[in-house]
Amino acid sequence: MRTYTPKPGDVTKNWYVIDATDVVLGRLATQVATLLRGKHKPTFAPHVDNGDFVIVINADKVALTGSKRENKIAYRHSGYPGGLKATNYAELLARFPERAVEKAVRGMLPKNTLGRAQLSKLKVYAGAEHPHSAQKPQTFEITQVAQ
């Protein structure tokens, strides 16, 4: 059987808004990565970018289970020798809550050109407001198991 390849005219890209209030970060990231890749569509092909645009609001109210807020470390590197920077998630969520969500989603996407193109369709905002109301985004509810 031949691999199905959706044509560019067949791909329809929707916009979704996800409210991250009291949603566990990992569960939020898996749902967002699924929408960005297009795995929820029957026309999914792993080599084609047919995912949707995702807007995440209230990123500063995302939840972390256990003691991850104080003990989990987020690393970044400046590119220079000795340029490794480390910060815990309590400080990261206080200063840059958008980076925490983007970092979690980036780890669940392919590490290639296609993954970078899919990540560019993710828009994360710390507050409840976003400038994408002209695209008429649909709300996407995350049903999660109670912790």
Side-chain angles (χ1 to χ4, degrees):
M1 173 172 247
R2 298 190 53 124
T3 303
Y4 172 72
T5 301
K7 308 294 184 285
D10 298 340
V11 176
T12 58
K13 299 194 185 286
N14 300 322
W15 284 74
Y16 292 105
V17 173
I18 297 177
D19 188 4
T21 304
D22 296 329
V23 178
V24 178
L25 180 61
R27 295 179 188 274
L28 171 71
T30 55
Q31 291 290 330
V32 171
T34 301
L35 291 172
L36 289 175
R37 290 203 64 197
K39 293 189 87 168
H40 62 290
K41 295 182 179 182
T43 59
F44 171 72
H47 60 287
V48 177
D49 183 13
N50 62 351
D52 296 324
F53 288 86
V54 178
I55 304 164
V56 177
I57 58 174
N58 293 322
D60 54 348
K61 297 182 179 85
V62 74
L64 290 170
T65 59
S67 59
K68 291 188 189 113
R69 190 172 289 269
E70 292 79 24
N71 295 340
K72 188 173 170 71
I73 304 293
Y75 296 99
R76 67 186 193 279
H77 200 282
S78 66
Y80 290 97
L84 184 66
K85 308 284 185 186
T87 180
N88 62 359
Y89 266 74
E91 183 181 339
L92 183 66
L93 286 171
R95 294 185 64 207
F96 307 107
E98 301 92 357
R99 287 188 193 171
V101 175
E102 289 170 1
K103 183 175 176 58
V105 174
R106 182 183 299 119
M108 297 183 182
L109 291 177
K111 279 68 172 178
N112 54 23
T113 310
L114 181 62
R116 288 187 292 276
Q118 291 167 346
L119 189 65
S120 68
K121 295 185 297 186
L122 173 65
K123 318 293 181 193
V124 183
Y125 299 99
E129 299 297 320
H130 64 84
H132 304 287
S133 58
Q135 282 74 26
K136 298 183 180 71
Q138 308 165 11
T139 59
F140 186 84
E141 292 293 326
I142 294 180
T143 57
Q144 65 177 359
V145 179
Q147 296 299 321

